[in-house]
Amino acid sequence: MRVAIMQPYFLPYIGYFQLIAAADLFIVYDNIKYTKKGWINRNRMLFNDKDTTFTLPLKNASDHLHVCEREISPQFDAEKLLNQFKGAYRRAPYLRETMALLESIVHHPAANLFEFLLHSLAQTCGHLGIATPFQRSSEIAIDHALKGQDKVLALCQATGADRYINPIGGLQLYREADFLANGIVLEFLQSRLPPYPQSGGEFVPWLSIIDVMMFTAPASLQTAIRQQFDMTRPTA
């Protein structure tokens, strides 16, 4: 039983979806503090051969609120964002298929940030053929005052996990011995992203999943999601 736990992001990079696909259960943090200037409501795309940030604007609120307590700005212009995507990728070979997905995401009526992002992740997983079930962290019966590794361990135990997988960037956040003491194997996923044809300039890696979908054939993308990563142990 492999479990992965992440906060929600807006159209994240391919490694996020590789993590979901590699898990038997994907827990999405909803009762976690919103990170200002993080990647929860923004990401990067390719525009004129350079990485450019796109943003989901939020209603003004305290920075101490949880993700599930934040709302999208009433001034959010869905068509403007879609036009940004169209303009940036107007010559991409898989524009039509990807724009159909993006339209279903961006036009979602939810004003709540978490609900909007959860819908976005679910729609993208459906497009990529990923069937891993999602569960909201707040729905799992643990002490939600726990922090960091203690909270991760509690969520793993509550869901019957015997393996916990995390992106390689979190290697220094966890102690393998603590997981093993609780009967859980700790693993880290390191994404491999061979250069793929973009728009002709120098390859720009680790952009939003939008970029990969725009330039990659569906069959090749399925392979990348399920095979182009390494799974390692801390002691490996």
Side-chain angles (χ1 to χ4, degrees), residues 5-6 13 15 19 164-171 187-190:
I5 309 169
M6 291 290 288
Y13 83 122
L19 187 74
Y164 172 65
I165 54 175
N166 195 81
I168 195 69
L171 191 62
E187 297 179 306
F188 291 91
L189 185 147
Q190 183 163 22

Side-chain angles (χ1 to χ4, degrees), residues 100-147:
L101 168 66
L102 294 174
E103 287 168 4
S104 72
I105 289 171
V106 173
H107 282 302
H108 188 59
N112 179 271
L113 175 62
F114 180 80
E115 297 297 338
F116 189 96
L117 294 177
L118 188 67
H119 174 264
S120 171
L121 292 172
Q123 290 291 104
T124 306
C125 282
H127 184 81
L128 297 172
I130 300 171
T132 304
F134 288 10
Q135 189 164 5
R136 303 165 192 245
S137 60
S138 64
E139 295 176 345
I140 301 172
I142 65 164
D143 177 3
H144 287 281
L146 293 170
K147 304 291 183 183

Side-chain angles (χ1 to χ4, degrees), residues 203-216:
F203 181 66
V204 183
W206 311 123
L207 300 175
S208 164
I209 189 66
I210 294 173
D211 194 78
V212 188
M213 293 190 295
M214 287 285 188
F215 292 112
T216 309

Side-chain angles (χ1 to χ4, degrees), residues 4 6 9 11-23 26 128 130 165-168 188-193 206-209 212 221 224-226 228-231:
M6 291 290 288
Y9 294 113
L11 297 166
Y13 83 122
I14 190 172
Y16 191 102
F17 294 99
Q18 289 173 324
L19 187 74
I20 298 175
F26 186 67
L128 297 172
I130 300 171
I165 54 175
N166 195 81
I168 195 69
F188 291 91
L189 185 147
Q190 183 163 22
S191 182
R192 288 184 277 109
L193 186 67
W206 311 123
L207 300 175
S208 164
I209 189 66
V212 188
L221 185 51
I225 292 289
R226 287 168 174 77
Q228 289 179 358
F229 61 84
D230 298 307
M231 199 75 77

Side-chain angles (χ1 to χ4, degrees), residues 88-99 196-200 210-218:
Y89 293 103
R90 59 191 181 279
R91 295 188 180 88
Y94 300 98
L95 174 67
R96 181 180 59 81
E97 300 93 325
T98 308
M99 284 307 305
Y196 51 87
Q198 288 175 322
S199 56
I210 294 173
D211 194 78
V212 188
M213 293 190 295
M214 287 285 188
F215 292 112
T216 309

